[in-house]
């Protein structure tokens, strides 16, 4: 027991002695590099080295750009157990000749060392212009951004800030600029808090900003009229483009005016229109040889531009050349209206009259013709007149107009000649429908008739080929005193005419004609024979059949009522009675009309 206690006591004593011995050893740190006088390039990798003894082997590594006034940490609690320690440092892209390094024991910051003297860091990239205090104006000449560089790729990103670097706007990316300069068109972003930043595209470490703020000054407003500049001839009622270009206006609108006295007074074209560089101007009826146009910023009339020289406004003319009087145009054909238009808006209204110009009907509205020799294709309707005229007016200025000098004629393409005026046609009979036709008909026709004055039409034939204007018509049994005939071209229904006046269709005469027996037959008693007949225009559906044995002096009934037949013919099977005679006849009559 006592031996055990003695062994434990010796162990404790020896351990305590060793601990006291270790902690009584001196702690040292000695910075080896950089230790003064070195020149290190920014954005390169360098080793900070130091020796140490008696430390905890955990270190803080810091650097200062101002000889130790302020420090920037590189590593905290950095472990290194070797006697010659090192730390790999990515050198920042700064310019300073007052750089020192400090290494401290993390667990005992009183144990530390710094570089014996200052060393230098030279930046890989440094902006030289604009670098603070400059004032560069929007819209002015291009400015040159410049910088120095060392060890860069020569490909750069350039950005600018208008809020002191809180955010950045790109100018160029990955631009090959070995000359370390860039010509910059100043953007319209006025600010007094501007910076430029240049960065090596291949290494974002190699970057620099302007050292201080510079100013982007607001631009001077620019407004230039580009048309009309003078020497032009503009025609009243015609539309022309007023054009201009502008920069840096504060308003999105402009005002336009024109002068007819070389700018002494101005008349408004439009008080406010979008500043889009163009306005379509319909020239007013204000002829003058001393005209100008002016454009000005809306709300800021001091910013303006006007025609440097005068132009003239003259009245336009229209001259109808065809039809101009005496022509005979066929209805339902295509004809060309022609006219000359000089100094017009090139947009026209075209009219025609059938009463010498007392009233007008529209053919075209706002019809565009780019040439001075104008034309309009007119498909004439089936209106006939010998008092026709054509009128053409300028759509934008109706005072510019002209009409045919004299009357012309629109003649019929087809004229029905019969039945045409009070004829009486008998139902069931045959009558000729006749007509005349102008050149150009297809010779394929549709013929129709009406029994109610034209309220409704019944087709006689359709698409029938006739070249002589004559058709033999089997008149239907449709009695009426208000009948008309109509003929029109199957390929152009506009070419149409009807009877000028009503005609009459009288009722057809009813007929019954026995076809068998019809004489010379020999019939035997008690034998069956067909009695047959044809009929037309009867009103009853039944027939009465009789026979005579005395050559018609008296008649005996075969049947008092039997079907009259269908489709114009009928028959009856008769068993002959025992009344021999050589004077026999058969009679068939309409049941309700024995006459």
């Amino acid at each position: 027991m006592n031996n055990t206690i003695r062994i434990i006591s010796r162990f404790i004593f020896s351990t305590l002695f060793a601990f006291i011995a270790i902690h009584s050893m001196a702690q040292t740190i000695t910075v080896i590099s950089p230790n003064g006088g070195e020149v290190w390039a920014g954005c390169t990798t360098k080793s900070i080295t130091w020796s140490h003894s008696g430390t905890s082997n955990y270190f803080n590594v810091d650097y200062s750009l101002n000889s130790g006034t302020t420090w920037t940490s590189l590593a905290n609690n950095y472990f290194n157990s070797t006697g010659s320690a090192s730390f790999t440092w990515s050198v920042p892209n700064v310019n300073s000749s007052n750089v020192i390094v400090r290494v401290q024991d993390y667990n005992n910051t009183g144990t530390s060392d710094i570089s014996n003297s200052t060393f230098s860091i030279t930046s890989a990239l440094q902006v030289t212009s604009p670098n603070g205090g400059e004032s560069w104006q929007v819209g002015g000449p291009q400015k040159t951004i410049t910088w120095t560089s060392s060890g860069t790729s020569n490909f750069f990103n350039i950005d600018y800030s208008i809020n002191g670097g809180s955010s950045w706007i790109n100018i160029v990316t990955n631009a090959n600029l070995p000359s370390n300069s860039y010509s910059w068109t100043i953007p319209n972003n006025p600010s007094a808090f501007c910076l430029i930043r240049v960065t090596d595209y291949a290494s974002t470490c190699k970057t620099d900003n302007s050292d201080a703020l510079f100013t982007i000054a607001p631009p001077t407003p620019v407004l230039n009229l580009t048309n009309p500049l003078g020497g032009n001839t503009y025609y009243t009622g015609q539309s022309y483009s007023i054009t201009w270009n502008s920069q840096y206006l504060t308003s999105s609108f402009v005002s336009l005016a024109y002068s007819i006295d070389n700018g002494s007074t101005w008349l408004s074209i439009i008080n406010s229109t979008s500043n889009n560089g163009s306005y379509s101007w319909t020239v007013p009826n204000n002829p003058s040889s001393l005209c100008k146009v002016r454009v000005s910023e809306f709300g800021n009339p001091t910013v303006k531009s006007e025609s440097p020289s005068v132009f003239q406004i003259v009245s336009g003319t229209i001259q109808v050349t065809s039809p101009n009087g005496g022509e005979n145009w066929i209805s339902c054909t295509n004809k060309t209206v022609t006219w000359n238009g000089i100094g017009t808006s090139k947009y026209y209204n075209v009219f025609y009259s059938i009463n010498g110009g007392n009233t007008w009907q529209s053919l075209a509205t706002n019809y565009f013709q780019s040439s001075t020799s104008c034309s309009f294709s007119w498909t004439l309707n089936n209106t006939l007149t010998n008092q026709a005229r054509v009128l053409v007016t300028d759509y934008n200025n109706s005072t510019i107009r002209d009409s045919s000098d004299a009357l012309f004629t629109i003649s019929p393409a087809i004229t029905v000649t019969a039945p045409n005026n009070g004829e009486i046609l008998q139902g069931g009979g045959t009558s000729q429908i006749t007509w005349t036709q102008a050149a150009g008909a297809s010779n394929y026709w549709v013929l129709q008739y009406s029994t109610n004055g034209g309220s409704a039409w019944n087709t006689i034939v359709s698409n029938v080929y006739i070249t002589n204007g004559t058709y033999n018509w089997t008149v239907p049994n449709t009695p009426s005193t208000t009948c008309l005939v109509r003929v029109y071209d199957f390929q152009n229904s506009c070419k149409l005419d009807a009877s000028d006046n009503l005609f009459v269709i009288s009722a057809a005469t009813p007929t019954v004609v026995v076809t068998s027996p019809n004489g010379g037959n020999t019939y035997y008693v008690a034998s069956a024979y067909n009695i047959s007949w044809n009929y037309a225009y009867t009103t009853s559906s039944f027939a009465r059949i009789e026979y005579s044995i005395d050559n018609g002096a008296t008649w005996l009934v075969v049947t008092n009522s039997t079907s009259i037949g269908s489709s114009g013919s009928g028959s009856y099977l008769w068993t002959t009675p025992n009344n021999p005679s050589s004077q026999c006849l058969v009679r068939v009559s309409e049941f309700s009309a024995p006459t």
Side-chain angles (χ1 to χ4, degrees):
M1 181 70 176
N2 290 332
N3 288 333
T4 301
I5 294 172
R6 281 195 295 270
I7 292 170
I8 292 173
S9 298
R10 289 173 183 163
F11 175 76
I12 293 172
F13 178 78
S14 61
T15 301
L16 180 62
F17 179 81
F19 178 79
I20 294 171
I22 290 172
H23 282 271
S24 64
M25 292 173 58
Q27 291 181 313
T28 61
I29 296 175
T30 303
V31 172
I32 300 172
S33 176
N35 207 30
E38 295 89 347
V39 178
W40 285 2
C43 299
T44 58
T45 300
K46 295 292 184 178
S47 291
I48 298 173
T49 60
W50 66 94
S51 61
H52 62 93
S53 64
T55 66
S56 67
N57 293 333
Y58 290 89
F59 303 95
N60 295 335
V61 183
D62 310 293
Y63 76 96
S64 173
L65 299 177
N66 52 19
S67 301
T69 301
T70 59
W71 294 94
T72 300
S73 175
L74 292 176
N76 280 326
N77 201 15
Y78 173 70
F79 177 75
N80 195 300
S81 60
T82 63
S84 296
S86 66
F87 174 81
T88 301
W89 182 25
S90 295
V91 180
N93 186 47
V94 295
N95 260 331
S96 177
S97 59
N98 297 306
V99 188
I100 57 175
V101 163
R102 178 178 68 186
V103 179
Q104 296 176 321
D105 189 319
Y106 174 78
N107 293 298
N108 181 11
T109 57
T111 303
S112 66
D113 190 33
I114 64 173
S115 307
N116 288 345
S117 60
T118 61
F119 65 98
S120 297
I121 297 176
T122 59
S123 63
L125 190 151
Q126 186 173 10
V127 172
T128 55
S129 179
N131 206 31
E134 297 88 347
S135 180
W136 288 359
Q137 186 177 34
V138 177
Q142 286 187 322
K143 295 295 185 178
T144 303
I145 300 169
T146 60
W147 60 95
T148 61
S149 65
S150 174
T152 60
S153 66
N154 289 335
F155 288 85
F156 299 95
N157 299 341
I158 304 177
D159 308 285
Y160 75 101
S161 173
I162 58 174
N163 54 17
S166 295
S167 61
W168 294 90
I169 302 168
N170 182 250
I171 298 174
V172 291
T173 298
N174 198 18
N176 185 13
L177 302 169
S179 64
N180 290 346
S181 64
Y182 177 79
S183 293
W184 185 29
T185 299
I186 309 303
N188 191 15
N189 266 339
S191 171
F193 303 97
C194 301
L195 295 171
I196 284 290
R197 179 176 69 187
V198 180
T199 304
D200 187 344
Y201 180 78
S203 173
T204 57
C205 169
K206 298 174 182 179
T207 184
D208 190 40
N209 306 339
S210 308
D211 290 345
L213 299 173
F214 70 96
T215 297
I216 294 179
T220 300
V222 176
L223 187 58
N224 288 316
L225 183 74
T226 55
N227 191 67
L229 296 178
N232 318 67
T233 298
Y234 283 4
Y235 293 93
T236 61
Q238 190 165 346
S239 293
Y240 299 90
S241 289
I242 299 172
T243 60
W244 65 93
N245 55 51
S246 64
Q247 283 185 297
Y248 315 123
L249 303 189
T250 56
S251 174
S252 298
F253 300 92
V254 296
S255 301
L256 298 172
Y258 76 103
S259 172
I260 58 173
D261 55 13
N262 198 21
S264 295
T265 60
W266 293 91
L267 304 169
S268 177
I269 296 173
I270 187 168
N271 186 49
S272 175
T273 187
S274 176
N275 182 26
N276 59 11
S278 179
Y279 179 81
S280 181
W281 179 35
T282 300
V283 178
N285 191 16
N286 249 350
S288 169
S289 60
L290 298 172
C291 301
K292 286 187 172 186
V293 161
R294 181 179 70 189
V295 57
S296 58
E297 183 177 11
F298 177 71
N300 186 13
T302 60
V303 179
K304 61 186 176 181
S305 178
E306 66 183 53
S307 308
S309 301
V310 297
F311 62 93
Q312 62 177 338
I313 294 176
V314 298
S315 295
T317 61
I318 293 174
Q319 182 181 17
V320 173
T321 53
S322 178
N324 205 32
E327 295 89 348
N328 182 14
W329 283 4
I330 305 301
S331 64
C332 303
T333 57
N334 291 326
K335 294 293 183 179
T336 301
V337 180
T338 61
W339 66 94
N340 294 323
I342 300 174
T344 66
S345 68
K346 300 186 184 297
Y347 290 88
Y348 300 93
N349 295 336
V350 185
F351 306 90
Y352 76 101
S353 173
I354 59 174
N355 55 16
N358 289 327
T359 59
W360 296 95
Q361 301 179 57
S362 177
L363 290 175
T365 301
N366 200 17
Y367 176 68
F368 177 73
Q369 288 282 277
S370 60
S371 172
T372 56
S373 298
C374 310
S375 64
F376 174 78
S377 181
W378 178 22
T379 300
L380 281 72
N381 59 24
N382 199 24
T383 300
L384 311 178
T385 180
N386 59 3
Q387 298 185 59
R389 284 182 187 270
V390 163
L391 168 68
V392 181
T393 69
D394 190 317
Y395 174 77
N396 291 297
N397 185 356
S398 60
T399 63
I400 303 175
R401 58 171 53 209
D402 189 42
S403 64
S404 309
D405 291 344
L407 303 173
F408 68 96
T409 299
I410 301 176
S411 299
I414 175 174
T415 302
V416 172
T417 54
N420 197 45
N421 190 13
E423 297 92 336
I424 299 175
L425 309 182
Q426 186 175 36
T430 300
S431 179
Q432 281 192 337
I433 299 172
T434 61
W435 63 93
T436 61
Q437 63 199 56
S442 71
N443 290 330
Y444 287 88
W445 305 98
V446 177
L447 281 67
Q448 297 175 317
Y449 74 98
S450 172
T451 59
N452 55 13
S455 296
W457 294 92
N458 306 294
T459 297
I460 301 169
V461 288
S462 179
N463 198 20
V464 61
Y465 183 71
I466 299 172
T467 60
N468 62 0
T470 302
Y471 179 78
N472 291 321
W473 180 32
T474 300
V475 182
N477 188 26
T478 53
S480 172
T481 59
T482 55
C483 299
L484 295 169
V485 159
R486 183 167 72 178
V487 179
Y488 65 86
D489 190 326
F490 179 77
Q491 295 183 4
N492 184 353
S493 60
C494 172
K495 297 179 179 180
L496 177 148
D497 191 39
S499 310
D500 291 340
N501 297 292
L502 300 172
F503 65 91
V504 175
I505 295 178
S506 62
T509 302
T511 61
V512 177
V513 179
V514 173
T515 55
S516 180
N518 208 24
N521 314 72
T522 298
Y523 282 8
Y524 294 91
V525 171
S527 297
Y529 298 94
N530 267 324
I531 299 171
S532 60
W533 62 91
N534 294 328
Y535 66 92
Y537 309 116
T538 57
T539 58
S540 175
S541 298
F542 299 94
R544 182 179 182 180
I545 305 175
E546 301 165 285
Y547 75 102
S548 173
I549 58 175
D550 54 10
N551 196 24
T554 60
W555 293 92
L556 302 171
V557 174
V558 174
T559 178
N560 194 44
S561 177
T562 187
S563 172
I564 200 168
S566 63
S567 302
S569 65
S571 65
Y572 181 82
L573 187 61
W574 177 38
T575 301
T576 54
N578 190 10
N579 265 342
S581 171
S582 61
Q583 300 291 312
C584 296
L585 294 173
V586 162
R587 182 171 70 184
V588 179
S589 59
E590 185 177 6
F591 175 74
S592 60
T595 58

